[in-house]
């Protein structure tokens, strides 16, 4: 049975998509069967996996509206070794269309049931909001991975996210838990980042992943080649960190 994880943080540009595509590629490299679900109308995880969001026949939009199954709509991201349920601008419309529907926050969860045995991991890239799309992600998941930069306001934003996760846990999804906080774009030369990192560990203890993702230009360059950094340049420091993170996740799910 697949373990399902949301990569979420309502703050924009914190590294959600970079984390999702590189964790997917890292897990695939160590033999895990992975489905990446792009829940962001920006379609960055889709493009970053080498799939053209403008020419997809079917996407996560069709799945949410009940017009296609995941098996029909997911495509193989060839050199990356995982499958992608892609997204594009059409998905922004789903937000409005879902309002009219029954069990609107459980559409993705119900669609995932049919493919649960086909994968070891399902990774959901959420948009930078606490919207109906993110809610669909949180309702589907066993856990949330929260990428964050070690900056002054990071802790403040975290409180909102933790509250939302608690509410979803209480009302919609008893399985949901924060799996961990992932420190990303980390630069140990910046004193403030080291301080915030220490605060995070003091406050959240083992909810902070051991792996730290450094700031690394190769990770930022990779999407323009339609590849995760882990595939584009496996030897880069950032890629090595994501490979370590993939191993850490495999260990973590053993204790879940
Ligand atoms: P959004 O909220 O818009 O969906 P996001 O949280 O998904 O954004 P990303 O798109 O993953 O964030 O990252 C934001 C930017 O930071 C991108 O240009 C990405 O290439 C860059 N970036 C992410 N992680 C790193 C890293 N470890 N080192 C260098 N650049 C990075
Ligand atoms: Mg993103």
């Amino acid at each position: 049975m697949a373990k399902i994880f949301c990569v979420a943080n309502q703050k924009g540009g914190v590294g959600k998509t970079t984390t999702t595509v590189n964790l997917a590629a890292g897990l695939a490299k160590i033999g895990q069967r992975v489905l990446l679900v792009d829940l962001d109308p920006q379609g960055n995880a889709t493009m970053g996996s080498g799939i053209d969001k403008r020419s997809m026949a079917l996407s996560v939009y069709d799945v949410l509206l009940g017009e296609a199954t995941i098996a029909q709509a997911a495509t193989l991201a060839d050199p990356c070794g995982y499958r992608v349920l892609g997204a594009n601008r059409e998905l922004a419309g789903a937000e409005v269309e879902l309002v009219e529907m029954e069990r609107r926050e459980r559409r993705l969860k119900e669609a995932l049931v049919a493919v649960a045995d086909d994968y070891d991991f399902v990774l959901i890239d959420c948009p930078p909001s606490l919207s109906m799309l993110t809610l669909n992600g949180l309702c589907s998941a066993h856990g949330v991975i929260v990428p964050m930069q070690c900056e002054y306001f990071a802790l403040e934003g975290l409180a909102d996210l933790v509250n939302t996760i608690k509410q979803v846990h209480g009302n919609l999804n008893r399985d949901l838990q924060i799996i961990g906080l992932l420190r990303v774009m980390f630069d140990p030369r910046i004193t403030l980042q080291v301080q915030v990192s220490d605060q995070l560990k003091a406050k959240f203890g083992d909810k902070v992943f051991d792996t730290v993702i450094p700031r690394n230009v190769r990770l930022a360059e990779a999407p323009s080649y339609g590849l995760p950094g882990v595939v584009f340049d496996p030897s880069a420091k950032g890629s090595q960190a994501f490979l370590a993170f993939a191993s850490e996740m495999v260990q973590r799910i053993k204790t879940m």
Side-chain angles (χ1 to χ4, degrees):
M1 268 265 283
K3 284 283 179 206
I4 304 173
F5 299 103
C6 266
V7 180
N9 190 330
Q10 77 279 16
K11 212 165 175 286
V14 292
K16 293 179 288 295
T17 300
T18 305
T19 299
T20 314
V21 298
N22 282 287
L23 177 58
L27 287 168
K29 272 206 177 192
I30 54 176
Q32 303 292 310
R33 300 167 304 161
V34 183
L35 172 68
L36 185 159
V37 178
D38 191 351
L39 262 190
D40 187 344
Q42 294 181 103
N44 293 343
T46 305
M47 296 295 278
S49 302
I51 291 161
D52 185 357
K53 64 181 177 185
R54 291 171 213 90
S55 61
M56 285 184 297
L58 293 166
S59 71
V60 68
Y61 171 82
D62 303 285
V63 170
L64 289 174
L65 296 190
E67 284 158 10
T69 64
I70 293 178
Q72 288 166 337
T75 48
L76 180 68
D78 203 5
C80 312
Y82 56 87
R83 295 185 81 82
V84 177
L85 179 57
N88 55 31
R89 278 175 56 190
E90 219 180 11
L91 183 59
E95 193 85 48
V96 180
E97 288 164 76
L98 283 172
V99 172
E100 309 271 295
M101 295 191 157
E102 265 176 64
R103 300 171 67 76
R104 57 184 180 231
E105 68 284 336
R106 298 180 204 268
R107 311 285 301 186
L108 180 63
K109 181 187 174 78
E110 286 165 7
L112 281 168
V113 171
V115 295
D117 289 331
D118 300 339
Y119 298 99
D120 301 304
F121 283 88
V122 176
L123 303 177
I124 305 171
D125 186 28
C126 291
S129 63
L130 297 172
S131 59
M132 183 56 64
L133 292 170
T134 300
L135 202 55
N136 260 274
L138 294 175
C139 279
S140 309
H142 301 112
V144 188
I145 296 167
V146 184
M148 54 187 304
Q149 288 172 257
C150 290
E151 287 173 350
Y152 181 68
F153 286 117
L155 290 167
E156 218 167 284
L158 198 56
D160 292 339
L161 184 63
V162 169
N163 275 333
T164 305
I165 291 169
K166 276 193 185 143
Q167 278 179 21
V168 174
H169 175 84
N171 299 310
L172 297 166
N173 178 2
R174 300 299 297 179
D175 289 342
L176 191 68
Q177 51 171 311
I178 293 188
I179 301 300
L181 308 175
L182 179 66
R183 292 162 286 173
V184 299
M185 299 189 227
F186 191 75
D187 185 343
R189 293 167 303 182
I190 299 174
T191 311
L192 177 66
Q193 292 207 5
V194 176
Q195 284 170 351
V196 173
S197 171
D198 290 345
Q199 281 174 9
L200 273 181
K201 279 194 284 190
K203 191 154 185 245
F204 294 95
D206 61 8
K207 287 279 177 199
V208 181
F209 288 112
D210 294 335
T211 310
V212 177
I213 310 298
R215 184 171 282 283
N216 177 222
V217 68
R218 300 300 271 170
L219 291 176
E221 286 168 356
S224 63
Y225 297 86
L227 292 171
V230 162
V231 180
F232 173 62
D233 183 355
S235 65
K237 274 215 168 73
S239 306
Q240 291 289 316
F242 273 114
L243 282 167
F245 182 47
S247 297
E248 188 176 355
M249 280 300 295
V250 170
Q251 289 308 316
R252 284 246 176 169
I253 65 161
K254 288 183 185 157
T255 60
M256 272 176 76

